[in-house]
Structures are given as structure tokens and as C-alpha cells.
Amino acid sequence: MTLLKIARMGHPVLLREAEPVADPTSREVRRLVDDMVETMEDANGVGLAAPQVHVSRRVIVFKAPAERAGPDGPEDAETPLTALVNPAFEPVGDEVELGWEGCLSIPGLTGAVPRHARIRYRGTAPDGRAVEREARGFHARVVQHEIDHLDGILYTMRMDDLRMLAFSDEMRHFAEAARAEE
Ligand code: NI
């Protein structure tokens, strides 16, 4: 397996619409997925889309660990490491929630991004299996973030209040402000 170079904001590959994959089970796709997983883990990320490693194809990897599941508990808010080819989602209901996101292509920053609270998503695993799941909380958020990458959309482009874009190591000020309001 190989560590891949991660494209950073400003590189045009991140703004391009990625091409669908004709054969999700091909050897190239399996190798790409293995390399993406290794690259994501090495960078301590929880999601990565192929355009972020300069491959403009509709492939994503992600995980939603239990500790990120939030106060509602882990049920359908956590998911093990998953790779999906040609993924798609639709919202379930119309609840939108604001949550903090980072991105390996925007290192050092964190922003508050509105996302659908619940979604249903589908795609093909690299072993050919069809995957269809419902997700909420952090799980729903990471899937929407990664699928956005396939359409050339970065999380900053989804933000409606840029005052809530910050360096990750200044995030304590938001926690302090929230405590002061209580
Ligand atoms: Ni990202």
C-alpha cells in the first residue's frame, strides 16, 4: 500500500465533479481504496474522497467512531470503516443541524456546517456488495461531507456563518463563549 499525496484547498481537482466508476470491483479501485484508507489513517482523518488524492473518481472511505456519535448515543450514528463506489444519499425528514467539521484538504481549520440530520445513503462496496444504510448525527455528517467532495464542494462552501470558521487550536474560545452564555 502507498501513502497518497493529499490535495489542499486551492487545487482545482477539489472543485471538479468526479467521474462515475464503471466497474467498482476492478483491481484499480481496490488498490485505490486500500491506499485511501492507509492515507486517511496516517493523517488521523475519519473520511477521504478520491479527488482529495488527485483521482477524480466517485470513491469515498469513511468511518464514524462511537466517541464522535454525540449525546444521542451511538445507534446508527457510528459506523465501521466503509468504502463506497458511486455513492448517493437523500435526506430523511427536513431537520438540519449545525456541527463542527474539519477536512484533510483544509488542514488546521474547523468550521460549523449545516447538514441534514438524517439521511439514507447507498453505494457499491469494492467487493461488489450493494450497501444501503440510514444514518444520523456524525455518521450522516461525514457521508454528506465526503459525497460533497465528489461534486467539487468543500465544507467552507456550505457554511452560512464564516465567523464560525476557526483554527482548530483556537476552538477553546467557542467552548468558553458557550459556557459564558449558560
Ligand atoms: Ni474533506
Side-chain angles (χ1 to χ4, degrees), residues 3 6 36-48 104:
L3 284 179
I6 298 176
M36 284 172 62
V37 168
E38 194 186 15
T39 303
M40 178 184 83
E41 301 284 8
D42 178 72
N44 286 317
V46 291
L48 192 66
L104 295 176

Side-chain angles (χ1 to χ4, degrees), residues 47-49 52 101-106 145-146 149 153-155:
L48 192 66
Q52 291 183 276
E101 294 183 21
C103 180
L104 295 176
S105 294
I106 313 176
H145 177 120
E146 299 315 328
H149 276 300
I153 297 168
L154 299 171
Y155 79 76

Side-chain angles (χ1 to χ4, degrees), residues 64-66 69-79 117-118 134-140:
D72 297 335
E75 182 216 340
D76 71 1
E78 67 170 295
T79 197
R118 302 187 79 98
E134 285 214 26
R136 62 177 168 79
F138 185 75
H139 181 187

Side-chain angles (χ1 to χ4, degrees), residues 8-63:
R8 295 190 305 166
M9 181 166 63
H11 195 291
V13 72
L14 295 172
L15 300 178
R16 212 173 288 151
E17 193 176 335
E19 297 285 331
V21 173
D23 177 7
T25 61
S26 72
R27 279 181 53 148
E28 292 104 294
V29 169
R30 278 175 204 231
R31 185 175 318 126
L32 173 64
V33 163
D34 287 347
D35 291 345
M36 284 172 62
V37 168
E38 194 186 15
T39 303
M40 178 184 83
E41 301 284 8
D42 178 72
N44 286 317
V46 291
L48 192 66
Q52 291 183 276
V53 292
H54 304 264
V55 177
S56 199
R57 291 278 181 278
R58 303 188 80 82
V59 178
I60 61 174
V61 298
F62 60 90
K63 58 184 178 180

Side-chain angles (χ1 to χ4, degrees), residues 137-150:
F138 185 75
H139 181 187
R141 177 170 297 278
V142 70
V143 171
Q144 290 171 82
H145 177 120
E146 299 315 328
I147 291 178
D148 262 356
H149 276 300
L150 306 182

